[in-house]
Structures are given as structure tokens and as C-alpha cells.
Amino acid sequence: MSSAGDVIVVGLGGMGSAAAAHLAERGARVLGLDRFGPVHDRGSSHGGSRMTRQSYFEDPAYVPLLLRAYELYERLERDTGLDVVRLCGGLMLGRPESRTVAGALRSARRWDLPYELLDARAIRARFPVFAPRDAEVALYEARAGVLRPEHTVAGHLRIAARAGARLRFEEPVLGWEPYGGGVRVRTGRGTYTAGQLVVCPGAWAPGLLSDLGVPFTVERQVTYWFEPDGGVGPFLPDRHPVWIWEDADDGVQFYGFPALDGPGRGVKAAFFREGGRVCDPEAIDRTVHDGEVARIADRLAARAAGLPGRFVRAATCMYTNTPDEHFVVARHPLHPDVVTVACGFSGHGFKFTPVVGEILADLALTGGTRHPIGLFDPARLPGGEARGRAGGGDPGPAP
């Protein structure tokens, strides 16, 4: 049996890499384990871009965490020299009563965030790519923009390693259990013990954290890139924002980004939740089918001049959803002295990566955090009182 110090972090994607960095910087001896290689594309922390925004339509309770995340992203850029954040502005579009617009407006007003409310005529004048209907409006937020997920993960891994963390890749976790006042973790290569365990399993949460009792649903989603007719000029980040549009006809949300990488790389767009299929992360269909491309192309053609244009490529990722679409970030209810969990980010979690890492380090090292995380307690959910066997149950494959 080999020993690995103070904290074992399982999963080194977005949240796990951030946790490892924060823990190691605070002097903890950290062992990080991941079933894939560093900065991989087999989970949910890839795809070249993620959206960040503060006027958060999901719930105003997220805003304090977002404000801290913005601070930590700036620090990550300073500490690594990597290009992580591009604030190009953001539009939340739809009818005034839509969740996308009304929810964003509620958060902006609750936290006194700067914003502009634009009617359809103002949207067309300021962002001529878009074709809103007369009854549609948009909340514009100048502080919204783009995150680079691969750079974020790479940066946190770099910081963790620089601070002394041991990071082991291509080493799937087979199981874990409380052991001697701490934890024991089994992998295909060996067994490790530590005083604390932090579990950031992504789409492998249903197996690795089965004893939480949370009914996670893993969902296959697809993102698409199109080269606009007439070129990417109108879609460059200095004139084109990130955007989320809630269609008045059917309530479907779809979203997009500026052309971050110039000609030939395309403009990224996707549906938010619409059309997702329940999947197994070990057997996800990574083939993108013609009918899927046609659905998003038709939606874009009705709303954005120059799109869809030429289809460039597509990629699959996974949402790990909770029933209410809020996160799970907490001490494990069955093992509150030794295990901390972060999972169920439900397709909108990446923008919180550095502050979740900070919270996980707080919880693992002190048992508490100054950050407001009551919304993320698994006990809020039916069955979330952590039924099942102690010791991690039958975790199956893990990151």
C-alpha cells in the first residue's frame, strides 16, 4: 500500500484541477487522479469556449460566486500567462417575460449589476447580425464573455504541479472507502490513503457517488461550428457578443459565441438542453448525425444573418443534471469528516470553476466555507439524504 499525504482529488477536469491547485497552494499534500490524460476531451471541460455572465437567469443566488470567479480567473491569467477570459459582452434575448430575460434582469437588479435593456429595434441597430421579432427584447451585459476551458484546466494543473501536487493520469479510480479516520482509494495501479477525499467525477457521478442518493441524469449534448456566409468579420469578438436566445414559439434556448479563432474555424452555436439524450459516459455516441446539424442550422438561419453558412465541425459533451438543475457542492452527508463532493453541474457550471475549487479546498481543509453554498446541499433533493451503503457503495468506473 502506498500513502499519498493529506488530500486525494478524484477527477482532474474543470473542478478537480481547480481544487488541486487551491489545495496545493495552501500547503496540502495533494494526489490528483484522472482516468484520462491531462486536458482531455472525454468529459465536459473542452470545446474551445464556455460562456461567462453575471446577470444570471438561473437564480440570483449564484451571483456572489460569479463575482468571486471573475476575480479568480483574472488571477489565473496573471499566474500562468494563459489566455483564459475574453469579455466581449453578452445578450440574453427573448420575450420580456421569458426566463432568459426576466431571470437575468432579476439578478442584475438584485445585485446592482450594470446592464442595458434593449428593444428589438435597438438590438438590430447595435448588433445587425441578429433578427429579433418586434416583441422580443434583450438584456445586454458588458461584463459577459468567453472562457477558454482547455486553458483553464491546463492553468490549474500547472499551478497545482508547481505547488507540489502529484498528478496521475490514465489511472481510473475503482472504488473508495473510509479508512482509519481518513479514506482509502483503489485504482488499477494501486491503493492510496489520505486524510481527505475530494470527488469531482463529472459524468461518472452516478456510479462513483451512488450513495448520495441524488438521481443524476447524464445527457449527451452537441456543439456546432459554422463558417458564416460572407466571412467572420461581423462575428469577431470586438463586435459580436456571446448570446442566449429563448425562442418565443417553443421556449427553446439556443446560444452562440463570436468567431474567436478567426477565418476557417467557424462560429460556435448549440441548443441549451434541447435535444439531449440520456447516455452512459462509457458508451456515449460521439458521432454527430446529419439531422442534428440540420436542426441547429434551421434555427440559426431564422435568427442570424450569415448563418448557418458552411458547416465546419461538431463535438459532443455531457451534462450531468440534477432534478432542479442546481449543483451539488458539499461535504458528503454520510462521511462529512473526510469526503467532499462537487458534481451535478447541469450544463452551466464551468464558469464557476475557480471559485468551486476554492470552496472545495475550504471544505476539505476546514470543514466550512465563507461562500454561500446552501443551494447546493444534496439534502434539498428527494433521496439526497444519502441513502445506500456507506463507503462509496459500488462506484464503478471513475475519472
Side-chain angles (χ1 to χ4, degrees), residues 162-312:
R162 190 168 63 202
R166 294 173 55 203
L167 306 176
R168 298 178 66 93
F169 298 96
E170 308 290 347
E171 187 165 356
V173 169
L174 304 178
W176 61 269
E177 61 186 352
Y179 178 79
V183 292
R184 179 165 57 189
V185 175
R186 293 181 294 107
T187 77
R189 298 183 188 175
T191 301
Y192 307 94
T193 60
Q196 293 288 324
L197 174 65
V198 175
V199 187
C200 304
W204 284 261
L208 191 60
L209 294 174
S210 59
D211 62 347
L212 274 178
V214 175
F216 298 109
T217 301
V218 179
E219 184 177 84
R220 173 187 176 274
Q221 289 285 346
V222 183
T223 53
Y224 310 84
W225 286 260
F226 296 91
E227 187 74 6
D229 292 334
V232 298
F235 296 87
L236 293 174
D238 61 349
R239 64 191 74 173
H240 188 73
V242 298
W243 52 272
I244 302 175
W245 204 321
E246 185 171 334
D247 197 303
D249 290 338
D250 54 14
V252 168
Q253 290 173 305
F254 57 113
Y255 64 94
F257 294 83
L260 294 171
D261 301 310
R265 300 292 294 172
V267 172
K268 182 180 175 182
F271 289 108
F272 187 47
R273 304 191 185 284
E274 176 68 16
R277 299 202 303 266
V278 174
C279 70
D280 177 343
E282 295 292 336
I284 180 175
D285 178 8
R286 295 194 181 274
T287 299
V288 177
H289 304 279
D290 290 345
E292 294 177 306
V293 178
R295 286 187 67 249
I296 189 68
D298 288 346
R299 189 75 60 154
L300 293 171
R303 296 306 185 116
L307 291 177
R310 178 178 62 87
F311 173 63
V312 176

Side-chain angles (χ1 to χ4, degrees), residues 24-389:
E25 283 195 307
R26 296 189 200 183
R29 290 194 304 141
V30 176
L31 172 66
L33 300 167
D34 198 284
R35 70 180 290 105
F36 300 111
V39 198
H40 62 80
D41 64 357
R42 314 311 287 172
S44 302
S45 299
H46 62 279
S49 58
R50 289 290 185 276
M51 192 178 299
T52 188
R53 48 195 168 88
Q54 295 180 355
S55 300
Y56 214 60
F57 66 76
E58 287 85 348
D59 196 304
Y62 286 89
V63 174
L65 299 178
L66 287 163
L67 297 177
R68 178 57 176 162
Y70 271 57
E71 295 173 349
L72 292 172
Y73 274 118
E74 291 177 4
R75 181 192 299 177
L76 181 63
E77 287 193 317
R78 290 196 304 269
D79 290 349
T80 64
L82 292 171
D83 174 21
V84 176
V85 182
R86 177 70 182 268
L87 298 183
C88 57
L91 283 176
M92 303 296 110
L93 301 110
R95 288 186 177 273
E97 69 275 13
S98 68
R99 181 191 185 202
T100 304
V101 175
L105 185 60
R106 184 167 57 251
S107 284
R109 289 173 171 168
R110 167 67 178 82
W111 294 101
D112 196 25
L113 302 173
Y115 71 91
E116 298 175 62
L117 199 57
L118 309 177
D119 62 17
R121 183 176 179 179
I123 296 167
R124 297 183 198 113
R126 190 160 170 181
F127 304 102
V129 162
F130 294 121
R133 296 172 181 172
D134 289 343
E136 292 179 311
V137 301
L139 181 143
Y140 176 74
E141 177 190 337
R143 293 280 291 166
V146 183
L147 303 171
R148 293 288 200 174
E150 288 88 351
H151 290 185
T152 298
V153 175
H156 282 133
L157 292 177
R158 183 184 302 179
I159 290 170
R162 190 168 63 202
R166 294 173 55 203
L167 306 176
R168 298 178 66 93
F169 298 96
E170 308 290 347
E171 187 165 356
V173 169
L174 304 178
W176 61 269
E177 61 186 352
Y179 178 79
V183 292
R184 179 165 57 189
V185 175
R186 293 181 294 107
T187 77
R189 298 183 188 175
T191 301
Y192 307 94
T193 60
Q196 293 288 324
L197 174 65
V198 175
V199 187
C200 304
W204 284 261
L208 191 60
L209 294 174
S210 59
D211 62 347
L212 274 178
V214 175
F216 298 109
T217 301
V218 179
E219 184 177 84
R220 173 187 176 274
Q221 289 285 346
V222 183
T223 53
Y224 310 84
W225 286 260
F226 296 91
E227 187 74 6
D229 292 334
V232 298
F235 296 87
L236 293 174
D238 61 349
R239 64 191 74 173
H240 188 73
V242 298
W243 52 272
I244 302 175
W245 204 321
E246 185 171 334
D247 197 303
D249 290 338
D250 54 14
V252 168
Q253 290 173 305
F254 57 113
Y255 64 94
F257 294 83
L260 294 171
D261 301 310
R265 300 292 294 172
V267 172
K268 182 180 175 182
F271 289 108
F272 187 47
R273 304 191 185 284
E274 176 68 16
R277 299 202 303 266
V278 174
C279 70
D280 177 343
E282 295 292 336
I284 180 175
D285 178 8
R286 295 194 181 274
T287 299
V288 177
H289 304 279
D290 290 345
E292 294 177 306
V293 178
R295 286 187 67 249
I296 189 68
D298 288 346
R299 189 75 60 154
L300 293 171
R303 296 306 185 116
L307 291 177
R310 178 178 62 87
F311 173 63
V312 176
R313 63 189 175 99
T316 58
C317 68
M318 290 177 284
Y319 292 1
T320 305
N321 299 320
T322 63
D324 61 5
E325 300 174 4
H326 295 308
F327 311 157
V328 174
V329 181
R331 296 290 265 174
H332 194 303
L334 289 180
H335 317 289
D337 295 331
V338 294
V339 181
T340 303
V341 301
C343 50
F345 289 95
S346 302
H348 63 110
F350 192 88
K351 61 185 71 64
F352 298 88
T353 290
V355 70
V356 169
E358 185 173 65
I359 290 166
L360 294 174
D362 291 345
L363 294 175
L365 297 179
T366 72
T369 182
R370 65 183 176 85
H371 293 295
I373 61 170
L375 181 61
F376 311 141
D377 188 335
R380 75 184 189 273
L381 298 166
E385 66 277 6
R387 62 176 179 265
R389 290 182 294 169

